[in-house]
Amino acid sequence: MLPAGLRVPVVVFDLEWSSPFAYTCNACSRCCYGKAILVGPYEVLRLARNRGLTTTELLAACVEGGGVLLRVRPDGGCVFLTERGCGVHPDRPLACRLYPLGRNIDAQGRERFGHLPPHPQTAGVYGRDGTVGDYLSRQGVEPYFAVGARYAGLYQRMVAVLARLAEGGVEAEAAAAPGMGPASPWLDVDATVAAYCRERDLAPPATLEEAVDLHIRAVDAWLEGLATSLPAAPPAA
Amino acid sequence: MDGASETTRREALKLAAAVAAFGTALGFHAIGAEAQGPSTGATQQKVIKGERTTLKFLKIERLEIKLFYQGKFSYAFSVPSSVHKHFRPGQQLELKFFRNGEFVTDPLK
């Protein structure tokens, strides 16, 4: 039972792409405080390029929680918040683009969106003279969704290999929780890609898309090496 | 343990760490297990006290934590099978809440 007085933010994912929705941000920056912003490899890559850093440097300076959670300042503000608003706006993370919506994909692959609780003094203006799809398109979410789907596929392949290891009697545990998750060197795109290119005498990536391609290929190569070291699965009965 | 199995276990630990890190980064942590999809959004940093409850069961195939508000379902958190498969009679399920990487003992402060 939850403690009395607990306030859990309630998000009901009942919106679709065609649902009526509009939101005008008036740049009050109140939503940039007290948030837990999770970032994946693609978001870290874009943030790093925005700041003129490698992903290794950005992860060290601006990300915590094992490399998945943006740091916050002592006053609770986002590490990238400046006096003039977001300091990385063209490359802001997906969660910031979705806001004030959240996105959920269920086990059947159905995509839904829900309203996140707004700041009580937000200057943002809600409306219904558009759709969720209109709003998301203006926020430039498409590459984040597309690359996110590719990384989700990679994640599924990781889980499959881990399951095979477990079936073979090798047990390994790791907790997955922001703030306490174990760091994985594979999250570091630039370091992973540099090692992969060096080992195979490949040219370094010239674009973000090439970096993502090489990153996924590098992790897949590691997974394939792990999988081939395992005994063959017994034939299905 | 021989050299080969030691290597395999070391790689398995690396893979488990990678699964945890990628799963969290991609939002799979919020909705849980690998069988489900990711969830993305700017979550409020709210915390509650850790609770300690002893669960007894022989075998489970799925473990979910569900949140309801005024009787209406809002969130489901599925515990990954790689975790709940280790549950045995008498073991404990501990819910802990963190903020900025630190365990919080009083949620109302």
Side-chain angles (χ1 to χ4, degrees):
Chain A
M1 187 166 179
L2 298 175
L6 171 70
R7 291 171 298 162
V8 175
V10 175
V11 181
V12 178
F13 292 97
D14 58 357
L15 300 177
E16 301 177 0
W17 279 82
S18 58
S19 301
F21 177 79
Y23 180 75
T24 302
C25 171
N26 285 306
C28 68
S29 298
R30 292 189 176 97
C31 67
C32 304
Y33 288 82
K35 297 292 192 300
I37 304 295
L38 290 167
V39 285
Y42 179 64
E43 290 156 303
V44 170
L45 185 61
R46 286 191 58 153
L47 290 168
R49 295 298 181 267
N50 181 286
R51 307 303 294 170
L53 301 172
T54 65
T55 56
T56 310
E57 293 166 333
L58 188 110
L59 284 167
C62 306
V63 184
E64 59 186 2
V68 300
L69 190 64
L70 283 191
R71 287 185 189 275
V72 293
R73 307 181 314 208
D75 66 354
C78 173
V79 67
F80 295 120
L81 185 61
T82 72
E83 290 181 355
R84 290 175 295 175
C86 179
V88 291
H89 198 260
D91 297 294
R92 64 196 183 283
L94 176 60
C96 308
R97 292 171 190 269
L98 292 173
Y99 191 87
L101 298 176
R103 179 191 187 219
N104 174 248
I105 300 173
D106 68 15
Q108 285 72 45
R110 288 181 303 225
E111 185 181 44
R112 293 286 187 275
F113 301 90
H115 286 277
L116 297 176
H119 187 281
Q121 283 88 44
T122 182
V125 178
Y126 290 81
R128 293 174 60 85
D129 54 342
T131 66
V132 168
D134 296 336
Y135 177 71
L136 296 180
S137 293
R138 284 197 299 276
Q139 295 298 313
V141 299
E142 287 86 355
Y144 290 82
F145 285 0
V147 175
R150 294 184 64 194
Y151 275 111
L154 179 66
Y155 172 74
Q156 304 283 1
R157 295 193 290 279
M158 285 182 183
V159 171
V161 175
L162 189 61
R164 282 191 60 196
L165 282 167
E167 288 168 8
V170 181
E171 294 198 352
E173 298 176 49
M180 61 176 290
S184 170
W186 296 104
L187 280 176
D188 188 339
V189 175
D190 284 335
T192 300
V193 168
Y196 184 76
C197 290
R198 196 165 50 242
E199 290 166 6
R200 288 161 177 76
D201 200 20
L202 298 174
T207 65
L208 288 174
E209 291 71 25
E210 288 179 15
V212 168
D213 285 343
L214 286 165
H215 184 227
I216 292 174
R217 280 166 55 185
V219 179
D220 267 330
W222 173 55
L223 292 176
E224 286 167 18
L226 275 176
T228 53
S229 70
L230 293 169
Chain B
M1 186 176 282
D2 61 27
S5 59
E6 183 67 42
T7 301
T8 305
R9 175 159 176 74
R10 193 161 55 242
E11 290 300 310
L13 287 168
K14 286 183 189 173
L15 179 55
V19 166
F22 276 78
T24 304
L26 298 173
F28 282 88
H29 79 289
I31 202 72
E34 58 275 11
Q36 299 199 20
S39 183
T40 308
T43 55
Q44 302 284 343
Q45 293 183 332
K46 306 266 190 193
V47 291
I48 63 174
K49 286 181 181 175
E51 290 201 342
R52 186 182 289 264
T53 305
T54 300
L55 301 178
K56 291 186 177 181
F57 29 48
L58 294 176
K59 180 182 178 183
I60 55 171
E61 295 176 342
R62 183 176 181 82
L63 175 60
E64 285 189 347
I65 300 170
K66 289 188 173 181
L67 299 180
F68 291 83
Y69 180 71
Q70 295 179 345
K72 191 170 184 181
F73 169 70
S74 58
Y75 262 134
F77 302 80
S78 290
V79 177
S81 61
S82 58
V83 174
H84 72 58
K85 73 175 183 180
H86 296 291
F87 286 165
R88 300 290 183 272
Q91 282 195 326
Q92 295 171 332
L93 173 65
E94 191 170 290
L95 300 181
K96 286 184 173 181
F97 296 86
F98 293 81
R99 183 176 188 180
N100 297 332
E102 294 187 1
F103 176 56
V104 178
T105 56
D106 191 338
L108 302 180
K109 285 186 177 178

